[in-house]
């Protein structure tokens, strides 16, 4: 059954109260393992569509189109989303400098909520060489700042399929640290309580460990909801043949809401979407909160519901009509918030380390730009503004490898759970730290900060006030302490990545992985464990 149009309801409301525009949507809240409308307490089930094209959460490209900044596109597409019965869209990357007001209002008036990923293609946690640093922190908080005041923002994803097989589970602590820090940021910034979640792939080897890991331990570090990207129902499959029955049993005791963050296998085309009846049927609605179909725009991957023609018009495809038909058949039965007493209250136990799982429960430190700036000012040798990415990689390799400098202060290891206090600083801030360590190890000789023009000396500042406190917590220049001070709330942050020209200038930070280090640097490789010294 098609959901009632919030546009028509708004017209009635406008006539009664002489309002100019539709009222803000009722925020969605969480109780136990379910979503509810805040005001009337009715259970909320996602009838969603992934609404963005040409975006992947990888560093392969720096370009993407922000659909929430395309007012003309929203005017064209929102009526079609309404026609489908959509009440949620998922977007994978937004431009935080753009104006989203018009699209968000159109979606609001149509009764459509938004779940937004916090990353973007060139700024996300890289599964192969993960880091959680002040550059990514600024990106993620800027997305929250851009969207938080819209009541139809349902939540944010701190990561999408980051650890996707047993070889890269050591990336998960960095994502979980992002979950922790974004929850804290929302609270300290005075925003309404907007949940933070994670979207996982369906890898049989680690699916259970991933779900347990992001739900275990302190609630302040754990996800508020769990998104599952699942494509196991293809064509005219069934509840049992697709494995939906097993997945449902696995999540019966999960204590936060879970839903399909992507679904819609296209091995059979056009897609019949027969899974819709199961997702919103009695076998699944007690556990799952609906799902999000991948995807709205037709591209070369043939997952689209709509084709955008050369003149800019939208043409619906057979998949669109099939999905519309199937969604119209379902009316999920839920519970009322007031009468619902959660029975799934216990967090999962953290998975144990084995051949398939190597994620430490100890998480990386919270990025703290003030600390990194203080550290940078305290150095006598720093990276020059002209340093090139390729030179930076070689410098890390030499200083922390062949030269034998102990770089524990800037290294983060998601397997052992050991993190230097400055491991969350930007790559070039960490490079400056490494250069300074080499400089001091060589008695601050006149040529030990040259690095063939990549280094430069400066007058080290004497730390006072909050800088003194932070550096003391960090263990001084060594960076082997533990910083307990949280960064000050900086709502409406800018997207700058460094406050010191000597540290970064206009140079993009390099991607540096274990493979970039010389084979002889066995000490460094052991400490890295495939992590750190990376900007993605």
């Amino acid at each position: 059954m098609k959901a009632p149009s919030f546009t028509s309801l708004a017209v009635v409301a406008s006539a009664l109260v002489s309002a100019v525009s539709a009222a803000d949507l009722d925020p969605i809240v969480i109780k136990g393992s379910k979503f509810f409308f805040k005001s009337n307490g009715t259970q909320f089930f996602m009838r969603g569509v992934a609404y963005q094209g040409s975006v992947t959460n990888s560093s392969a490209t720096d370009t993407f189109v922000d659909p929430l900044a395309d007012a003309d596109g929203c005017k064209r597409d929102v009526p079609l989303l309404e026609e489908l019965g959509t009440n949620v869209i998922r977007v994978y990357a937004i431009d935080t400098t753009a104006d989203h007001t018009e699209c968000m209002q159109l979606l609001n008036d149509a009764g459509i909520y938004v779940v937004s990923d916090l990353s973007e293609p060139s700024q996300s946690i890289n599964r192969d060489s993960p880091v959680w640093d002040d550059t990514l922190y600024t990106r993620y908080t800027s997305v929250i700042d851009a969207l938080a005041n819209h009541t139809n923002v349902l939540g944010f994803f701190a990561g999408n399929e980051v650890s996707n097989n047993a070889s890269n589970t050591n990336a998960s602590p960095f994502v979980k640290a992002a979950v922790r820090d974004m929850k804290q940021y929302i609270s300290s910034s005075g925003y309404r309580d907007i949940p933070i979640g994670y979207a996982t792939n369906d890898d049989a080897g680690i699916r259970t460990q991933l779900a347990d890991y992001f739900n275990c331990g302190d609630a302040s570090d754990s996800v508020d909801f769990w998104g599952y990207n699942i494509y196991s129902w293809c064509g005219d499959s069934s509840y049992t043949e697709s494995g939906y029955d097993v997945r449902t049993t696995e999540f019966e005791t999960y204590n936060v809401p879970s839903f399909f963050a992507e679904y819609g296998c296209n091995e059979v085309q056009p897609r019949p979407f027969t899974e819709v009846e199961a997702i919103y049927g009695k076998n699944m609605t007690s556990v799952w909160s609906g799902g999000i179909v991948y995807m709205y725009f037709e591209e070369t991957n043939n997952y689209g519901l709509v084709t955008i023609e050369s003149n800019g018009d939208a043409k619906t495809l057979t998949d669109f009509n099939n999905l519309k038909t199937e969604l119209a058949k379902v009316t999920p039965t839920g519970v009322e918030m007031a009468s619902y007493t959660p029975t799934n209250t216990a967090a999962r136990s953290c998975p144990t380390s084995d051949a398939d799982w190597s994620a430490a429960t100890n998480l990386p430190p919270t990025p703290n730009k003030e600390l990194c700036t203080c550290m940078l000012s305290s150095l006598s040798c720093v990276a020059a503004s002209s340093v090139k990415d390729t030179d930076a990689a070689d410098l890390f390799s030499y200083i922390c490898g062949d030269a034998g400098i102990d770089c524990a202060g800037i290294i983060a290891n998601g397997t052992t759970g050991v993190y230097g206090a400055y491991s969350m600083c930007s790559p070039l801030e960490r490079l400056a730290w490494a250069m300074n360590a080499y400089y001091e190890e060589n008695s601050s000789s006149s040529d030990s900060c040259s690095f063939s023009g990549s280094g430069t000396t400066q007058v080290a500042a004497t730390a006072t006030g909050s800088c003194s406190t932070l550096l003391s917590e960090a263990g001084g220049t060594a960076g082997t302490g533990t910083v307990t001070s949280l960064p000050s709330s900086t709502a409406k942050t800018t997207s700058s990545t460094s406050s010191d020209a000597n540290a970064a200038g206009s140079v993009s930070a390099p991607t540096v992985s274990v493979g970039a280090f010389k084979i002889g640097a066995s000490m460094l490789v052991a400490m890295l464990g495939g992590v750190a010294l990376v900007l993605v």
Side-chain angles (χ1 to χ4, degrees):
M1 180 181 295
K2 183 177 183 296
S5 168
F6 277 78
T7 303
S8 61
L9 293 176
V11 170
V12 176
S14 178
L16 292 174
V17 300
S18 300
V20 175
S21 61
D24 287 342
L25 281 180
D26 192 14
I28 303 301
V29 297
I30 292 172
K31 182 179 181 181
S33 60
K34 304 183 188 302
F35 292 113
F36 296 93
F37 289 100
K38 182 177 181 179
S39 296
N40 65 19
T42 301
Q43 187 175 350
F44 179 82
F45 293 93
M46 293 186 180
R47 302 159 68 102
V49 174
Y51 181 65
Q52 191 157 14
S54 301
V55 167
T56 59
N57 284 10
S58 75
S59 57
T61 176
D62 294 341
T63 62
F64 63 91
V65 175
D66 178 356
L68 300 184
D70 181 4
D72 289 337
C74 289
K75 291 174 185 176
R76 175 196 63 211
D77 297 330
V78 168
L80 291 174
L81 291 167
E82 274 194 283
E83 185 181 335
L84 276 173
T86 304
N87 63 8
V88 169
I89 61 168
R90 177 183 178 183
V91 295
Y92 294 85
I94 69 162
D95 177 358
T96 59
T97 66
D99 184 2
H100 304 101
T101 306
E102 192 166 358
C103 278
M104 292 301 291
Q105 188 62 53
L106 287 167
L107 292 164
N108 177 88
D109 295 349
I112 298 174
Y113 293 84
V114 175
V115 180
S116 175
D117 288 45
L118 295 171
S119 60
E120 58 106 324
S122 65
Q123 296 188 76
S124 61
I125 297 172
N126 186 318
R127 66 174 64 96
D128 297 318
S129 45
V131 69
W132 175 234
D133 65 11
D134 54 10
T135 304
L136 292 179
Y137 184 93
T138 298
R139 161 65 195 181
Y140 285 32
T141 55
S142 70
V143 175
I144 292 172
D145 291 339
L147 296 178
N149 287 322
H150 298 280
T151 63
N152 60 327
V153 172
L154 190 154
F156 298 104
F157 281 122
N160 181 67
E161 300 188 4
V162 179
S163 293
N164 64 355
N165 61 61
S167 71
N168 50 41
T169 60
N170 59 354
S172 286
F174 298 87
V175 183
K176 195 168 182 179
V179 171
R180 173 200 65 200
D181 293 342
M182 294 306 98
K183 291 171 69 167
Q184 191 279 330
Y185 180 80
I186 288 170
S187 175
S188 65
S189 298
Y191 292 131
R192 65 182 173 87
D193 190 13
I194 307 173
I196 304 291
Y198 177 74
T200 183
N201 69 314
D202 184 32
D203 183 87
I206 60 171
R207 63 161 74 99
T208 301
Q209 294 97 319
L210 278 167
D212 291 350
Y213 182 79
F214 279 92
N215 184 250
C216 74
D218 195 303
S220 63
D221 300 343
S222 303
V223 291
D224 298 314
F225 59 79
W226 187 249
Y228 202 174
N229 299 342
I230 182 168
Y231 293 86
S232 61
W233 186 305
C234 301
D236 291 321
S237 188
S238 70
Y239 181 59
T240 53
E241 183 182 351
S242 64
Y244 278 20
D245 59 334
V246 180
R247 303 289 82 76
T248 299
T249 299
E250 290 170 349
F251 280 86
E252 282 179 344
T253 60
Y254 216 56
N255 69 354
V256 298
S258 51
F259 58 92
F260 288 178
E262 290 176 5
Y263 75 92
C265 172
N266 68 352
E267 289 182 8
V268 176
Q269 297 185 36
R271 293 179 285 179
F273 287 110
T274 51
E275 65 264 50
V276 166
E277 184 177 3
I279 293 170
Y280 299 96
K282 62 181 181 179
N283 287 329
M284 296 183 67
T285 50
S286 62
V287 174
W288 303 96
S289 295
I292 299 171
V293 169
Y294 189 83
M295 55 182 280
Y296 183 82
F297 296 100
E298 174 71 344
E299 296 184 328
T300 55
N301 59 12
N302 296 318
Y303 276 98
L305 303 174
V306 170
T307 293
I308 306 302
E309 300 186 314
S310 58
N311 62 1
D313 291 344
K315 178 183 178 182
T316 60
L317 302 173
T318 302
D319 279 14
F320 178 98
N321 296 321
N322 289 348
L323 179 61
K324 175 183 173 181
T325 297
E326 293 303 316
L327 285 172
K329 294 178 183 179
V330 298
T331 307
T333 301
V335 298
E336 293 299 316
M337 183 163 59
S339 60
Y340 167 58
T341 301
T343 56
N344 307 338
T345 57
R348 296 289 182 96
S349 297
C350 293
T352 56
S353 296
D354 57 27
D356 295 325
W357 188 258
S358 60
T361 55
N362 190 40
L363 304 181
T366 299
N368 190 318
K369 187 62 186 175
E370 183 182 2
L371 170 60
C372 295
T373 300
C374 293
M375 178 271 288
L376 196 66
S377 297
S378 73
L379 305 179
S380 298
C381 176
V382 296
S385 59
S386 59
V387 66
K388 297 179 181 179
D389 292 358
T390 52
D391 292 338
D394 289 340
L395 286 165
F396 274 125
S397 175
Y398 173 71
I399 296 171
C400 298
D402 289 354
I405 299 299
D406 183 354
C407 290
I410 57 172
I411 287 174
N413 191 317
T415 298
T416 64
V418 177
Y419 311 97
Y422 304 121
S423 64
M424 52 73 196
C425 295
S426 73
L428 291 186
E429 288 166 338
R430 282 177 275 152
L431 178 59
W433 183 96
M435 287 178 165
N436 190 75
Y438 179 88
Y439 180 66
E440 292 183 344
E441 181 70 17
N442 288 275
S443 304
S444 303
S445 62
S446 58
D447 61 347
S448 59
C449 188
S450 172
F451 299 103
S452 301
S454 293
T456 184
T457 57
Q458 66 176 18
V459 177
T462 301
T464 60
S466 60
C467 269
S468 178
T469 301
L470 287 170
L471 289 174
S472 178
E473 289 183 7
T477 305
T480 53
T482 300
V483 177
T484 58
S485 299
L486 294 174
S488 301
S489 175
T490 53
K492 308 305 177 190
T493 55
T494 65
S495 59
S496 63
T497 59
S498 177
S499 60
D500 191 290
N502 283 337
S506 60
V507 180
S508 61
T511 296
V512 185
S513 64
V514 173
F517 290 86
K518 293 181 174 64
I519 297 299
S522 57
M523 175 275 299
L524 178 62
V525 173
M527 292 177 66
L528 282 174
V531 300
L533 301 176
V534 182
L535 174 64
V536 291

